């Protein structure tokens, strides 16, 4: 009988993943990054409809590094990452299969009163030069900065592609979110907050997803995106893993990716 955790609360999902070998024995778990989590769970639901005999789980985020560690150690068969593999990781036998590009969005609590900023404005905000939204034509409200840890995939993409971010030094007043969902929840619940993370259409409900230099994250000219990929260890591919990998690159999965604002990777 197939068991699914798609509808469970995050806390229950974390408990499910951290119950030692029980989770690994229960079926096929795809563990790792929080980037594109809702999108991948939607793909999982489509897969489950076609393969009810496979017990599939897409647990909450443990980060790209956590997914790599789990697959490398043999604790899990499939992982999900939002950064390229390092040479040492490829050398250890990990196989990388890109499935989607996800724009790196900047979003605020609606109370900010802004819907578009320049890349220069973003640098001034995150460096602490601008501290009140009224300085950018928004509400008379203090800016609450939410950043990610230095190894975060979205931050790495922004540093490599967003003007002014390569050498940006974050204000000491910024809060570090430890997961993508933490960044989203803070921006959604704290007045004046601004954060960044992988774009998905559900962000548009409850948050202000900013245009940057006139471009929305779904525009072709938007500069920043992460690549969501599946990983596994060479020599471990089995029928269940192959079925999910194949489905994640199918036309049905491509349609789901587009519905979430992503771009399917076709080769």
């Amino acid at each position: 009988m197939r068991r699914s955790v798609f509808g469970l609360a995050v806390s229950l999902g974390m408990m499910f993943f951290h119950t030692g070998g029980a989770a690994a024995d229960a079926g096929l778990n795809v563990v790792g990054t929080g980037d594109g989590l809702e999108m991948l769970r939607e793909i999982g639901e489509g897969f489950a409809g076609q393969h009810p005999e496979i017990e599939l789980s897409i647990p909450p985020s443990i980060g790209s590094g956590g997914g790599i560690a789990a697959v490398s150690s043999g604790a899990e068969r499939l992982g999900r990452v939002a950064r390229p593999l390092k040479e040492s990781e490829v050398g250890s036998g990990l196989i990388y299969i890109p499935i989607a590009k996800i724009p790196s969005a900047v979003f605020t609590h609606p109370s900010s009163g802004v819907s578009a900023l320049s890349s220069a404005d973003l640098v001034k905000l995150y460096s602490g030069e601008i501290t009140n939204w009224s300085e950018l034509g928004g509400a008379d409200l203090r800016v609450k900065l939410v950043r990610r840890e230095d190894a975060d995939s979205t931050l790495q993409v922004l540093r490599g592609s967003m003007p002014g971010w390569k050498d940006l030094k974050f204000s000491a007043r910024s809060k570090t979110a430890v997961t993508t969902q933490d960044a989203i929840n803070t921006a959604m619940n704290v007045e004046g907050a601004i954060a960044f993370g992988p774009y998905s259409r559900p962000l548009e409900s409850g948050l202000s997803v900013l245009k940057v230099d006139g471009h929305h994250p779904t525009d072709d000219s938007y500069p920043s995106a992460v690549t969501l990929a599946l990983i596994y260890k060479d020599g471990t591919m089995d029928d269940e893993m192959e079925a999910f990998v194949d489905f994640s690159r199918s036309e049905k999965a491509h349609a789901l990716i587009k519905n979430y604002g992503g771009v399917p990777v076709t080769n």
Side-chain angles (χ1 to χ4, degrees):
M1 179 179 180
R2 182 177 64 87
R3 181 172 62 186
S4 171
V5 298
F6 298 119
L8 296 181
V10 169
S11 59
L12 182 56
M14 290 298 288
M15 180 181 69
F16 176 84
F17 178 70
H18 288 293
T19 51
D25 293 341
L28 180 62
N29 304 314
V30 186
V31 301
T33 181
D35 292 16
L37 178 58
E38 296 87 357
M39 180 183 72
L40 195 59
R41 283 178 168 169
E42 191 73 16
I43 292 172
E45 291 283 10
F47 172 81
Q50 291 191 9
H51 295 274
E53 75 284 1
I54 298 176
E55 301 178 16
L56 178 71
S57 168
I58 314 289
S61 173
I62 56 171
S64 293
I68 289 167
V71 174
S72 295
S73 68
E76 300 291 354
R77 291 178 284 165
L78 270 180
R80 56 187 203 259
V81 297
R83 68 161 175 81
L85 295 177
K86 299 174 183 177
E87 288 187 14
S88 60
E89 293 163 348
V90 174
S92 71
L94 291 184
I95 307 297
Y96 177 91
I97 305 174
I99 60 173
K101 288 187 177 295
I102 307 171
S104 301
V106 182
F107 39 86
T108 72
H109 189 281
S111 61
S112 68
V114 302
S115 59
L117 293 173
S118 69
S119 51
D121 291 334
L122 287 176
V123 170
K124 291 177 181 178
L125 279 165
Y126 268 100
S127 66
E129 182 178 343
I130 291 176
T131 60
N132 193 293
W133 287 109
S134 62
E135 298 175 65
L136 295 170
D140 183 10
L141 186 65
R142 186 164 68 90
V143 175
K144 308 285 182 63
L145 298 171
V146 183
R147 59 161 294 180
R148 294 297 308 277
E149 68 279 9
D150 291 338
D152 173 64
S153 54
T154 300
L155 178 53
Q156 290 180 358
V157 169
L158 289 170
R159 286 205 183 280
S161 59
M162 189 67 74
W165 280 62
K166 181 179 180 180
D167 299 312
L168 173 62
K169 293 183 179 179
F170 288 104
S171 167
R173 295 190 300 272
S174 59
K175 170 197 171 180
T176 300
V178 296
T179 66
T180 298
Q181 196 58 50
D182 183 24
I184 293 171
N185 288 342
T186 302
M188 192 170 290
N189 294 314
V190 177
E191 289 192 353
I194 179 172
F196 52 82
Y199 174 80
S200 66
R201 294 200 190 280
L203 288 178
E204 306 279 3
S205 299
L207 289 166
S208 294
V209 177
L210 302 182
K211 289 184 178 180
V212 179
D213 293 333
H215 304 300
H216 187 272
T218 56
D219 294 344
D220 291 339
S221 49
Y222 192 80
S224 302
V226 300
T227 298
L228 177 66
L230 300 175
I231 59 167
Y232 67 95
K233 201 160 187 179
D234 193 21
T236 65
M237 181 68 76
D238 58 30
D239 290 344
E240 291 186 343
M241 295 162 61
E242 185 174 14
F244 183 73
V245 169
D246 288 347
F247 183 84
S248 71
R249 306 188 75 178
S250 68
E251 288 301 317
K252 184 170 183 179
H254 287 176
L256 293 170
I257 290 168
K258 291 176 183 177
N259 285 342
Y260 269 79
V263 179
V265 175
T266 57
N267 52 32

